[in-house]
Amino acid sequence: MTADEALVVEINGDSVTDRENSTIGLDSPGGSATSSRPASHASPMRNLSSASGGLYVSAPGKIILFGEHAVVYGRTAIAGSIDLRTYVSLFTSADGRIYLSLPDLGVEKTWMLKDLIRAGERLAAEYPIEEDQAPSLEVLVPIARKLSGSCEDQCGVQHLAILAFWYLLLGVVHRKRDLLAVKCTVRFKLPSCVGLGSSGAYCVCIATALLQTAGLIPPPSIPTDDEGSLTWEEKDLDTIRKWATSAESLIHGRASGLDAAVCTYGGVASYKPGTRIEHLKNLPELRVILVNSKVERNTSRMVQTVKERLKKFPSVVEGIFTSIDAISIEAAKILHRPEENGEGGPSENGGCSEHDHHSLQANVPSIKMRWLSNDGGLSSDGDHHSLQPTRGGSVRSTSLASYVAGGKRGSSASAISAASDKGELIDTFTKLNDLCRINNQLLIGLGVGHPKVDQICTTLARYGIHPKMTGAGGGGSVFAFLKPDTPQTLLDMISSELTKLGYEVWQPPLGGPGVVEHTRKPDLFQITSNMLSTPTPKHK
């Protein structure tokens, strides 16, 4: 068997906790009668051979800008996509086996396709399909455990990643039972266990690839860049988000849906439990620096730390939560800039509830994107904030240093306008910089700090940059907004100093596109065949 005939999934998952709903116990469904199927699109599976080039999908990571921990207790959080992406390649296989390899986790598994098909037939006989909803966790998780060989008391990242994969497989075969065996390779630029949404990106990528492979969503049609990458219509993105949110809940326990939403739609979003996720439009062209402390944080331990502190000092900690909430709300006002048509608030139409999520990617702004009009010229300021043009449009990537070079939004901007825009950006940076410093101190007050994080903050503070933890804390990653006129030489100096201290540094675009399909093979897959070993079949 060649390397192209193996199903290989390399996962870089976040640190995980037991599912809160781990008491599910259903017998495997019996019977083989069929039931009516939901409407589906023609399956492209038989065209995904090695010769055809396969299917390539990617999704971004995410950072929580403001509001972590407080959001668990009903307060507001703001999160944005970052261009540290997870990539998936998917091909079909004719050998009747499903191969799952997690080389970064030291796991390789194989299963027989016929067992998956048989499970799909039994599911169709006993459980009606709920239209427009993600597959039932209550129904599928026990079956996924049985077929994958994962025991209920196994909660390590390896087992939970496999379980999420099988949950999505079963959800697809329940709806489309003429599946072929598939091979899927997932590669990433996103580190794990540092609060950057690797679990959400993984689930979004796997869900998207399987849904399209089975014909449950159509091929994408909306351009996102000048390299031919495409994204899906709003209703299809909503399907991806729902499936990915459910899959992620197997890894993190009860997922809020924010990670999966940001990884699906991209952009920057504001979220408060029980309300609609709102996407912030027309973001200022700010840059960020992201530092990985290389201390793997344990989300469940940090959440428990905050819970214990709340129990010990309820009025004090509630006050901290209220302050963090106020910071998130203030940051949303700063980040969202009214458009020329007079809109004054975050998108309501682009928001969603947990079960009714509308598009966050339509009109999503990107720091690195400027729109081209149909004649190839730069669009007006009022138009260039969108990452979802009308069909047939295109975009062109531009340098993050656009404001360093003069702060111009378009080639015709006057010197006065450029100076005004630059001044506005500096004022925005100053406010966000102060909010980051306050929010970080409040997180330390909640008990989720770490000496390594303190060292990063002290180092950056010498340059007038005040970062904050992003995610659960206790290590993980730190981010900060960068002053618009920060010279690259200074950024190189900062990066060099942090690297010498043992940290990893990025300057990723913030608020770019969500899940996309690539029409060309991504660079991460440009490797020789002998680098992809074929797992030895191990039917269970």
Side-chain angles (χ1 to χ4, degrees):
M1 184 184 301
T2 68
D4 281 340
E5 292 174 340
L7 170 62
V8 184
V9 178
E10 300 170 22
I11 271 187
N12 199 350
D14 280 337
S15 73
V16 294
T17 61
D18 285 310
R19 284 191 67 244
E20 293 183 1
N21 187 12
S22 61
T23 59
I24 298 172
L26 296 175
D27 294 332
S28 298
S32 59
T34 60
S35 62
S36 59
R37 300 182 190 178
S40 62
H41 304 274
S43 174
M45 290 191 72
R46 298 182 186 278
N47 295 323
L48 294 178
S49 64
S50 299
S52 73
L55 173 68
Y56 297 99
V57 173
S58 75
K62 74 92 182 66
I63 55 175
I64 296 181
L65 302 175
F66 300 97
E68 48 269 271
H69 286 293
V71 70
V72 177
Y73 296 90
R75 273 59 169 202
T76 306
I78 298 176
S81 63
I82 53 172
D83 199 27
L84 294 173
R85 304 182 72 86
T86 296
Y87 293 82
V88 173
S89 73
L90 187 145
F91 296 84
T92 55
S93 175
D95 69 351
R97 294 181 184 271
I98 298 172
Y99 300 87
L100 178 61
S101 175
L102 311 179
D104 296 293
L105 304 178
V107 174
E108 292 186 357
K109 294 278 188 178
T110 65
W111 303 271
M112 296 300 294
L113 174 65
K114 64 182 181 181
D115 293 335
L116 175 65
I117 300 298
R118 188 179 300 117
E121 292 172 350
R122 293 175 177 174
L123 282 168
E126 296 197 1
Y127 301 100
I129 296 171
E130 297 183 34
E131 297 286 352
D132 301 322
Q133 296 297 327
S136 168
L137 288 166
E138 184 177 4
V139 171
L140 297 190
V141 167
I143 305 170
R145 288 192 187 279
K146 179 178 179 180
L147 293 180
S148 69
S150 175
C151 298
E152 188 168 334
D153 60 351
Q154 292 176 319
C155 60
V157 63
Q158 299 94 333
H159 305 291
L160 295 176
I162 292 170
L163 191 62
F165 177 77
W166 262 93
Y167 162 77
L168 293 169
L169 273 178
L170 286 167
V172 167
V173 79
H174 187 191
R175 291 156 174 78
K176 194 77 177 264
R177 294 186 298 282
D178 57 348
L179 292 177
L180 297 178
V182 293
K183 49 184 177 173
C184 181
T185 304
V186 182
R187 299 200 178 280
F188 51 88
K189 294 182 179 179
L190 189 63
S192 65
C193 303
V194 291
L196 299 181
S198 54
S199 292
Y202 164 71
C203 291
V204 167
C205 282
I206 295 296
T208 302
L210 290 177
L211 285 167
Q212 182 171 325
T213 297
L216 295 175
I217 60 174
S221 59
I222 301 173
T224 63
D225 59 31
D226 60 352
E227 296 181 352
S229 299
L230 301 170
T231 193
W232 287 260
E233 299 283 354
E234 179 178 323
K235 62 183 177 62
D236 303 315
L237 289 173
D238 192 54
T239 298
I240 293 168
R241 178 198 63 83
K242 289 176 180 177
W243 283 54
T245 297
S246 291
E248 190 190 8
S249 71
L250 295 174
I251 298 175
H252 280 307
R254 184 181 60 187
S256 69
L258 181 60
D259 280 22
V262 171
C263 294
T264 300
Y265 295 95
V268 175
S270 173
Y271 171 70
K272 185 175 183 177
T275 65
R276 298 164 65 86
I277 296 177
E278 297 178 335
H279 114 247
L280 309 180
K281 297 186 295 182
N282 201 25
L283 300 179
E285 298 186 61
L286 291 168
R287 298 182 292 168
V288 297
I289 185 170
L290 184 61
V291 185
N292 178 9
S293 71
K294 297 189 177 180
V295 177
E296 292 190 0
R297 89 284 185 274
N298 185 309
T299 299
S300 60
R301 186 183 303 131
M302 293 299 100
V303 170
Q304 184 62 30
T305 295
V306 174
K307 183 178 181 180
E308 292 172 356
R309 190 154 295 194
L310 174 63
K311 184 177 180 180
K312 187 175 183 179
F313 305 109
S315 60
V316 173
V317 175
E318 283 290 347
I320 293 176
F321 290 157
T322 299
S323 295
I324 292 175
D325 185 61
I327 288 171
S328 297
I329 294 171
E330 182 65 23
K333 294 177 183 177
I334 295 169
L335 287 168
H336 171 79
R337 300 193 300 177
E339 300 178 60
E340 289 183 358
N341 63 9
E343 289 186 35
S347 170
E348 288 290 336
N349 293 332
C352 71
S353 65
E354 191 73 18
H355 302 291
D356 184 22
H357 191 179
H358 301 287
S359 176
L360 289 176
Q361 188 158 335
N363 296 323
V364 168
S366 170
I367 292 175
K368 288 193 72 173
M369 299 294 184
R370 288 213 183 134
W371 285 109
L372 296 176
S373 61
N374 290 334
D375 63 2
L378 281 169
S379 66
S380 67
D381 287 357
D383 295 327
H384 96 286
H385 63 276
S386 176
L387 277 183
Q388 287 275 51
T390 56
R391 194 169 302 175
S394 62
V395 294
R396 174 173 295 168
S397 296
T398 59
S399 170
L400 277 176
S402 60
Y403 269 94
V404 174
K408 298 180 180 179
R409 277 188 166 273
S411 58
S412 62
S414 67
I416 294 177
S417 176
S420 175
D421 286 348
K422 184 176 179 180
E424 180 184 345
L425 272 174
I426 291 175
D427 181 63
T428 298
F429 159 78
T430 300
K431 292 177 180 178
L432 292 173
N433 197 34
D434 286 341
L435 290 178
C436 281
R437 174 165 48 180
I438 299 168
N439 199 162
N440 195 66
Q441 291 301 317
L442 292 172
L443 290 173
I444 292 173
L446 291 176
V448 298
H450 190 278
K452 292 289 188 181
V453 171
D454 293 342
Q455 185 181 45
I456 295 170
C457 292
T458 299
T459 301
L460 289 174
R462 293 204 303 270
Y463 298 94
I465 300 171
H466 297 288
K468 65 172 287 294
M469 291 174 271
T470 179
S477 297
V478 171
F479 93 96
F481 293 99
L482 292 172
K483 191 174 181 180
D485 58 358
T486 304
Q488 187 60 45
T489 53
L490 180 59
L491 292 177
D492 292 342
M493 186 185 305
I494 294 171
S495 179
S496 176
E497 183 173 353
L498 289 169
T499 301
K500 288 178 181 178
L501 291 172
Y503 304 120
E504 198 170 9
V505 183
W506 304 279
Q507 295 176 48
L510 172 67
V515 63
V516 299
E517 178 184 337
H518 301 274
T519 55
R520 294 184 293 182
K521 181 186 291 187
D523 291 341
L524 287 178
F525 297 108
Q526 303 289 351
I527 55 178
T528 59
S529 59
N530 61 0
M531 294 177 66
L532 287 175
S533 60
T534 301
T536 302
K538 298 176 184 177
H539 173 53
K540 292 190 179 289

